Amino acid sequence: GGELKTWEGDLSPVRSPVFLRTPEGLQQRVLGATPQLTSKESLAALAAAVKAYDSGRGVWPTMKVAERIEAVERFLVAMRAQRATVVNLLMWEIGKTQPDSEKEFDRTVDLIVETVRALKELDRTSSRFVQDQGIMAQIRRAPMGVALCMGPYNYPLNETFSTLFPALLMGNTVVFKPAKFGVLLIRPLLEAFRDCFPPGVINIIYGKGRETVGALMESGQVDLFAFIGTHRGASELKRMHPRPHRLKSVLGLDAKNPAIILEDADLDNAVKECIIGALSFNGQRCTALKLLVVHRSIAEVFLKKLTAAVDALKPGMPWEPGVAITPLPEPGKADYLQGLVDDAVAKGARVVNATGGQSSHSFFAPAVVYPVTRDMRLSSEEQFGPVVPVMVFDRDEEVIQLVVESQFGQQLSLFGQDPARIGRFIDAFSNQVGRINLNCQCQRGPDTFPFNGRKDSAEGTLSVADALRVFSIRTLVATKTT
Ligand code: G3H
């Protein structure tokens, strides 16, 4: 690991979050450069997608499902051949550990394979006939038009492709914008895109979100908006569309997933799951556990185990074996996190683990902050980084109120043993979040499960089979039978 071919040019530089020791001191590596499209240029990319769709009469939307599948399968062969290069770029561009970078690549391949499998199934079952009240109809699945797909920097391959491929497979044409970090790793796949799909079917744009994507939205020619990122970003872009009722959106947005740890929880398991949940990829997952809510009677022993486990996590470079904490790709992120910690400390909390807090050069050592109260920013603001706020509770009703009052509703974790009490919590939470995880961390996978959320956390459902439905529309061919 660690070897990388670089691209140089007079375009906008792409910097690695990784600082390397050189004779001149620590140096941030410039990995390459990427274009910053003007709105005129991104509109040209959209025009190509509109032309390729051609009001549903283009080569791609009218192609047989089996032929579209064949194109995607050819792409997969080429993609698999780029595994080492893409994994290396994941490590350098976003600082993801090698095992997690490999997992992201493999999971993406599996997701595309599963999507193809689900499409075959959908194609088989959706062409069936339905009959009622003297009318018989065949339900067909039809593409919807031009999809704009945008993914986040924490899964620049996986989450972009998790919308791009279902959109494509259903016969839509696509404009996609790589994540703001993790943009170079698309390059090794460009040739395969070019070779496997007809011209205009896939169009890639680069640049600042509002300038490049805003123009596309304002044009009114985007039919499908697949976006995984912030609630604010999604809302701003959606508002720019002149005919919002004609824009179908599927959004994966912010979250503040809590873990609730009851008195009878298996604490060793709870700590293990909370560490993975709160700190894998430095807590930069939308599904990360972002608030731990512990019953007062076990808070002390839980904290002791938790802080010991947090302090044992090894910081280092993404390719080093056994590393858990790596550089953060967002410039200024460490200052932001320190601001959240300082706010909590000013209001009476403290950093309870030995090593927590801001470190140098894009590293932030995980900080366990305790006791967090509801007046602190850390109780409701999504930190998206290695800060672990711990709150105590006395009565179950307090926890229910916290969840009900949250602006977000993606997932939560519940640690405990008493079936009756857990049942009551499940009843209270079922209409608040998209997924309740019992005695385990929150997560999106397996990708064949529906992935959704409530309130400001999501719109629509993403996953393999759901995504195919999201990116298509049912058309009925009906006739009277009597
Ligand atoms: O960042 C949000 C992702 O959807 C989280 O996915 O639970 O597989 O890490 P994950």
Side-chain angles (χ1 to χ4, degrees), residues 28-41:
Q28 195 175 17
R29 179 114 178 237
V30 175
L31 301 174
T34 183
Q36 299 284 311
L37 299 194
T38 60
S39 51
K40 198 167 156 209
E41 287 163 329

Side-chain angles (χ1 to χ4, degrees), residues 96 103 107 152 154-155 158-159 228 253 280 284-288 290 384 410-411 441-445 447 451:
K96 191 171 270 198
K103 201 161 125 197
R107 177 181 179 178
N154 59 340
Y155 281 96
N158 180 271
E159 293 210 292
I228 301 170
L253 306 171
S280 51
Q284 300 169 117
R285 294 162 59 218
C286 63
T287 49
K290 293 176 183 134
F384 212 77
Q410 191 198 60
Q411 299 192 12
Q441 63 141 340
C442 297
Q443 62 176 331
R444 177 167 41 124
D447 294 330
F451 178 52

Side-chain angles (χ1 to χ4, degrees), residues 240-450:
M240 292 180 183
H241 197 287
R243 290 181 291 281
H245 61 283
R246 285 181 56 175
L247 179 72
K248 184 172 183 187
S249 305
V250 55
L251 313 174
L253 306 171
D254 324 71
K256 183 79 182 176
N257 295 344
I260 299 149
I261 300 123
L262 306 176
E263 305 91 294
D264 60 352
D266 170 344
L267 287 192
D268 289 324
N269 173 61
V271 166
K272 180 173 79 57
E273 292 290 323
C274 286
I275 293 278
I276 304 169
L279 293 172
S280 51
F281 192 37
N282 309 302
Q284 300 169 117
R285 294 162 59 218
C286 63
T287 49
L289 290 174
K290 293 176 183 134
L291 182 65
L292 309 186
V293 191
V294 191
H295 193 270
R296 191 180 299 278
S297 64
I298 50 155
E300 211 168 293
V301 45
F302 175 78
L303 268 179
K304 214 166 157 194
K305 286 174 186 279
L306 183 77
T307 50
V310 169
D311 284 338
L313 296 174
K314 187 175 154 193
M317 295 305 173
W319 49 86
E320 289 171 358
V323 152
I325 301 299
T326 51
L328 307 175
E330 275 185 283
K333 187 60 179 270
D335 290 340
Y336 165 75
L337 295 172
Q338 192 59 48
L340 288 177
V341 173
D342 292 346
D343 168 75
V345 170
K347 291 171 182 160
R350 63 210 154 83
V351 176
V352 288
N353 58 319
T355 60
Q358 188 163 10
S359 325
S360 62
H361 296 97
S362 65
F363 270 100
F364 192 96
V368 180
V369 183
Y370 172 84
V372 166
T373 46
R374 294 195 62 182
D375 56 331
M376 298 173 189
R377 286 169 61 196
L378 268 176
S379 70
S380 55
E381 197 169 316
E382 180 180 27
Q383 64 270 41
F384 212 77
V387 177
V388 189
V390 183
M391 196 179 241
V392 289
F393 77 97
D394 295 292
R395 291 174 303 108
D396 291 1
E397 183 49 36
E398 286 170 53
V399 182
I400 293 170
Q401 198 175 341
L402 182 82
V403 171
V404 170
E405 286 173 6
S406 174
Q407 174 191 357
F408 307 115
Q410 191 198 60
Q411 299 192 12
L412 58 80
S413 289
L414 189 55
F415 293 89
Q417 313 275 357
D418 174 7
R421 189 171 174 204
I422 288 180
R424 284 195 296 277
F425 273 119
I426 293 175
D427 287 343
F429 293 147
S430 293
N431 57 8
Q432 300 295 325
V433 294
R435 174 162 159 174
I436 300 164
N437 300 280
L438 300 178
N439 297 309
C440 59
Q441 63 141 340
C442 297
Q443 62 176 331
R444 177 167 41 124
D447 294 330
T448 47
F449 284 13

